[in-house]
Amino acid sequence: MKLNDELKKTLIVLSAATLLGTGVVVSGGASGLSISVAAASGQLTAVPTDQKLQKELQTLVAGLKEGTYLAYYVRDKVSNPQDTISFSGKGFVFKDYKSFAAKFKALKGPATPQPGNLPKGFALATAIIYPPSVANDSELYLQLEQELKVAAAGDPNKQLFSKIISWSQTNLSMQLYAKGKASFSIVTGVPPAKLPEGAVPFVRASETKKELTVNGRKVILTTDSAKDASFNTKLVWLDKSGAIQYTLSDNRVSKLTTNEMLAVAKSMIK
């Protein structure tokens, strides 16, 4: 199934709405999906304000092959005031479930159930496996930070320093099912970090949340009636270990009912 422009836009929206808490920001269509992965702490990815430097970074990222991951450091106090390193990469893109599931398993990803009870006319449009996020207190981050800043210290005439890094495991993926412009996605990833004690989670005034039990598992159902909402219905649940979160949500064009969405979720929750 060929992705139309509306679905490509959907993928971009999913980065902010459905992949919330993963640190992933989608910045391109599925066929050449490019993503920027900020550290798990939630830091912003350094985007150069200088046009020449910005173009250099864009060219570097555009040249990445599928499944590659880039760590980069921008020596610029304006665009990188926290003096951190950033990450960008291209995930693996699939058009069939079997290939997607096999690759995800090879990357030591969690179980990615193939949904059943698909609404009439809906079929898999694309499935994507994303590179892992890198926490800014991890050994890998600290090692890369040292390497890139040492390189920067040795070349005062450059502002952009980068290194391709390998990755052999991840737990972040997305399946997108579509019927024309209508679609729904299934995102597999790590649950967002818990809020500090006493903190109150932000909830849009247009959202309505409800706790359900599906096949013995707790599921949070969220609906959003606002015109600017990124979804109509969202269902979130954890696996048995509590370490993996599944998020099922549709786009605004979708006319799927809550019962249809629940039927898909029920087929996945064992």
Side-chain angles (χ1 to χ4, degrees), residues 220-254:
I220 303 299
L221 164 67
T222 304
T223 56
D224 198 326
S225 60
K227 290 183 178 180
D228 65 343
S230 59
F231 64 88
N232 296 312
T233 304
K234 179 169 67 175
L235 296 163
V236 179
W237 67 93
L238 301 177
D239 69 350
K240 291 181 180 180
S241 70
I244 298 297
Q245 176 177 290
Y246 296 95
T247 302
L248 167 66
S249 63
D250 61 352
N251 67 353
R252 292 297 287 174
V253 181
S254 163

Side-chain angles (χ1 to χ4, degrees), residues 29-33 66-67 90-95 100 125-129:
S31 59
L33 190 73
E66 184 178 273
K90 285 187 178 178
F92 292 102
V93 182
F94 303 88
K95 296 300 181 183
F100 156 74
T126 188
I128 304 162
I129 299 175

Side-chain angles (χ1 to χ4, degrees), residues 115-129:
N117 300 326
L118 293 181
K120 186 177 180 180
F122 279 80
L124 180 67
T126 188
I128 304 162
I129 299 175

Side-chain angles (χ1 to χ4, degrees), residues 151-248:
D155 193 344
N157 297 317
K158 282 183 62 177
Q159 288 182 282
L160 178 62
F161 302 85
S162 63
K163 180 180 180 179
I164 296 290
I165 57 177
S166 61
W167 54 290
S168 58
Q169 60 183 49
T170 187
N171 50 29
L172 182 58
S173 71
M174 179 181 69
Q175 301 175 56
L176 185 73
Y177 292 80
K179 176 185 177 183
K181 294 181 178 180
S183 67
F184 67 86
S185 66
I186 301 161
V187 175
T188 301
V190 178
K194 292 183 179 180
L195 294 173
E197 188 176 351
V200 179
F202 172 76
V203 178
R204 287 162 53 99
S206 55
E207 286 186 0
T208 300
K209 290 184 179 291
K210 184 178 181 180
E211 185 176 311
L212 307 172
T213 299
V214 178
N215 290 346
R217 196 81 52 83
K218 183 175 80 171
V219 175
I220 303 299
L221 164 67
T222 304
T223 56
D224 198 326
S225 60
K227 290 183 178 180
D228 65 343
S230 59
F231 64 88
N232 296 312
T233 304
K234 179 169 67 175
L235 296 163
V236 179
W237 67 93
L238 301 177
D239 69 350
K240 291 181 180 180
S241 70
I244 298 297
Q245 176 177 290
Y246 296 95
T247 302
L248 167 66

Side-chain angles (χ1 to χ4, degrees), residues 94-161:
F94 303 88
K95 296 300 181 183
D96 67 281
Y97 176 83
K98 185 176 180 180
S99 299
F100 156 74
K103 183 64 175 180
F104 202 38
K105 183 178 181 180
L107 290 170
K108 301 177 183 178
T112 53
Q114 183 175 22
N117 300 326
L118 293 181
K120 186 177 180 180
F122 279 80
L124 180 67
T126 188
I128 304 162
I129 299 175
Y130 300 92
S133 60
V134 180
N136 64 357
D137 59 352
S138 67
E139 184 178 342
L140 177 59
Y141 181 96
L142 297 175
Q143 177 187 332
L144 290 167
E145 181 181 44
Q146 181 180 17
E147 288 183 21
L148 292 173
K149 289 186 176 180
V150 166
D155 193 344
N157 297 317
K158 282 183 62 177
Q159 288 182 282
L160 178 62
F161 302 85

